[in-house]
Amino acid sequence: MINIIGLGYIGLPTALILAANGEKVTGTDYSNEIIDKLNNDQLTFKEKGLEELFFRAKEQGILFTNNYKKSDIYIIAVPTPYRKDDKKIDTTCIVSAVKSVMKVCEEGAIIIIESTVSPGTIDRVIRPLFNDYKYELGKSIHLVHAPERILPGNMIHELENNSRTIGADNIKIAEIVKKIYSTFCKGEITLTDIRSAEMSKVIENTFRDINIAFANELVNICRKDSLDVYEIIYVANKHPRVNILSPGPGVGGHCIPVDPWFLVGDFPRYTKLITSAREINDSMPEYVLNRIYDIMEEKGISDTKRVGLYGLTYKANVDDIRESPTLQLIDIMKRHLAKPLKVYDPMVTKKLIDSQIMEFNEFIKDIDMVVIMVSHKHIKNSINSFKEKIVFDTQNVIEGAYRL
């Protein structure tokens, strides 16, 4: 049996796809709300293909509980944030999960950590827990790191098709884990050691962060020189070895704005480029706020109540708001003792902040200026509603709008 620990954006799809492909699976989460919803056939977040996968898994007998179960395999998929003060990983959740597993697991169990961790975390923090366990109970358990590699909005496809990395202490255990992942993963599965698996996952997201930062830095350069950054990127990308990404209002999600800080926290002397990239991307919500002010001045808008932000999630067509640029922008306003701008997001059906408007028509009718923070598909269906408004489009989806 496989016990999945943590039923969030990574753990739940992983549990469902394993169960749907014939594995005996129990999903465990400390949240009563999550477990109650799943046991009442209610998904806890929206994702293309997730509902179908959920009912396939239910047919195969997947269980959801707050309790840790005796299992052969444990997969830990809990949050691993960073500490804001020193940029180092906060291992509180992962340590708690591992300790709870060790209370119920038996001799020879395999604990797979999918949560992203900073390089060396498993040796420094997790392995000592294993050694203490072995000394006290006389049992040996096996440790594996198989970092997740999926993106909200396309989770099921990526679970099935992305390549995976399995880091283990010995090849026999790695092959056992590979066989489990092969039940659903069609991509290449690479076997390596644990430290290499840790580092490879962190640098994947750091690479993307640096490339996004380059695009965002071009925004500032081009605006200073009265150039169209989108045209510049379009022309430059005609070169066969150039692929500049699109700029945006900031970087959100649980991976890209978090993982690079692990390297900065652990290797401060050697991460100057990574630090600069993080600072550039973290500066974009404030850049957007300054642009809003400039456009308001130009158009003679003095009341911030007449300005609204479209989009609360960190990316298009998902309901995930973790580290969203919109929330970062609102936080900046609060720090300056300003009332947050109105916000609407068609993907977020639960009121999360005071300034959130739940109905689009109510949102759009009371504003003169709308700021497109996220390019949800909903925009295409509502394009006429924007025609009479002043539009500042940080996503470059509406013609004739103000842009970054």
Side-chain angles (χ1 to χ4, degrees):
M1 188 173 82
I2 302 173
N3 191 186
I4 311 290
I5 314 301
L7 297 176
Y9 287 95
I10 303 302
L12 180 59
T14 302
L16 296 180
I17 204 165
L18 281 165
N21 282 279
E23 298 288 344
K24 187 177 180 182
V25 176
T26 296
T28 297
D29 199 284
Y30 75 91
S31 168
N32 290 323
E33 182 182 1
I34 288 175
I35 297 303
D36 288 346
K37 282 188 173 183
L38 293 173
N39 281 328
N40 284 288
D41 295 344
Q42 299 175 46
L43 287 170
T44 50
F45 58 90
K46 297 177 183 177
E47 178 68 35
K48 181 176 63 177
L50 193 64
E51 185 173 9
E52 178 189 350
L53 192 65
F54 178 74
F55 287 106
R56 281 174 54 201
K58 291 280 283 189
E59 288 173 2
Q60 294 294 323
I62 190 171
L63 300 174
F64 301 108
T65 177
N66 297 118
N67 301 316
Y68 290 70
K69 297 294 184 180
K70 289 188 183 299
S71 302
D72 305 309
I73 306 287
Y74 296 86
I75 296 178
I76 295 177
V78 297
T80 47
Y82 72 94
R83 301 190 301 244
K84 297 291 174 79
D85 56 344
D86 61 5
K87 312 303 184 188
K88 291 181 180 291
I89 186 172
D90 181 347
T91 60
T92 304
C93 292
I94 199 167
V95 166
S96 175
V98 169
K99 285 182 175 180
S100 296
V101 165
M102 288 193 290
K103 290 177 182 177
V104 300
C105 72
E106 297 184 329
E107 171 76 25
I110 299 173
I111 299 181
I112 304 167
I113 295 174
E114 283 209 4
S115 306
T116 303
V117 296
S118 60
T121 295
I122 289 175
D123 279 349
R124 194 171 57 248
V125 179
I126 305 302
R127 201 179 294 280
L129 302 177
F130 277 51
N131 293 338
D132 292 344
Y133 173 90
K134 184 177 180 181
Y135 177 76
E136 290 175 13
L137 302 181
K139 295 180 181 178
S140 63
I141 48 182
H142 304 286
L143 184 59
V144 173
H145 184 41
E148 55 86 8
R149 194 184 268 167
I150 59 176
L151 188 69
N154 200 27
M155 284 182 172
I156 310 306
H157 176 82
E158 296 210 344
L159 268 173
E160 293 178 333
N161 294 283
N162 282 358
S163 60
R164 296 296 295 260
T165 304
I166 294 171
D169 293 330
N170 69 71
I171 192 66
K172 184 183 289 187
I173 298 301
E175 291 288 356
I176 292 172
V177 175
K178 180 178 180 179
K179 187 175 181 180
I180 293 166
Y181 280 81
S182 295
T183 60
F184 65 86
C185 179
K186 302 169 188 172
E188 180 181 358
I189 300 177
T190 302
L191 306 185
T192 187
D193 60 276
I194 288 176
R195 286 172 62 99
S196 295
E198 288 173 317
M199 179 65 86
S200 64
K201 174 56 194 295
V202 171
I203 65 169
E204 287 170 16
N205 290 326
T206 302
F207 173 84
R208 293 165 66 201
D209 194 44
I210 290 170
N211 280 273
I212 293 168
F214 177 64
N216 285 335
E217 190 161 71
L218 288 178
V219 168
N220 285 281
I221 294 170
C222 290
R223 179 146 296 281
K224 279 289 183 184
D225 209 26
S226 300
L227 291 166
D228 182 342
V229 67
Y230 300 100
E231 178 68 11
I232 299 301
I233 292 174
Y234 171 78
V235 173
N237 280 348
K238 295 297 181 181
H239 190 289
R241 290 178 296 281
V242 173
N243 183 26
I244 304 169
L245 303 179
S246 297
V251 177
H254 186 60
C255 292
I256 298 180
V258 174
D259 297 353
W261 286 126
F262 294 166
L263 292 175
V264 174
D266 289 345
F267 307 99
R269 290 181 58 192
Y270 308 107
T271 49
K272 293 179 181 178
L273 177 62
I274 297 169
T275 302
S276 294
R278 278 281 71 240
E279 289 171 349
I280 290 166
N281 288 335
D282 278 353
S283 74
M284 289 308 293
E286 186 158 9
Y287 173 90
V288 170
L289 190 57
N290 289 333
R291 284 282 290 137
I292 292 172
Y293 174 79
D294 290 342
I295 296 168
M296 289 176 66
E297 286 275 290
E298 180 183 330
K299 292 296 184 179
I301 302 173
S302 58
D303 189 352
T304 55
K305 292 179 181 178
R306 308 300 300 176
V307 180
L309 304 172
Y310 177 97
L312 185 57
T313 63
Y314 87 89
K315 61 171 289 188
N317 307 314
V318 301
D319 61 359
D320 190 345
I321 66 165
R322 291 176 294 177
E323 305 290 332
S324 100
T326 302
L327 289 177
Q328 293 176 48
L329 187 152
I330 289 171
D331 186 57
I332 293 167
M333 295 188 73
K334 287 180 179 177
R335 291 202 305 269
H336 287 85
L337 304 180
K339 288 186 178 180
L341 298 172
K342 294 176 183 176
V343 182
Y344 170 77
D345 194 304
M347 298 297 298
V348 182
T349 56
K350 184 178 180 180
K351 187 155 186 172
L352 301 176
I353 58 175
D354 291 340
S355 62
Q356 184 179 353
I357 308 298
M358 302 309 297
E359 296 294 332
F360 177 69
N361 289 336
E362 181 185 350
F363 166 77
I364 203 73
K365 75 177 181 181
D366 290 331
I367 57 175
D368 300 317
M369 175 178 168
V370 59
V371 183
I372 307 295
M373 297 291 288
V374 187
S375 56
H376 292 307
K377 290 178 182 177
H378 171 266
I379 289 178
K380 294 180 181 178
N381 299 326
S382 309
I383 199 74
N384 289 333
S385 301
F386 296 100
K387 285 186 176 178
E388 303 302 318
K389 308 294 180 182
I390 299 162
V391 179
F392 171 29
D393 182 6
T394 72
Q395 298 291 337
N396 195 32
V397 293
I398 294 183
E399 276 190 43
Y402 286 90
R403 298 187 292 182
L404 287 172

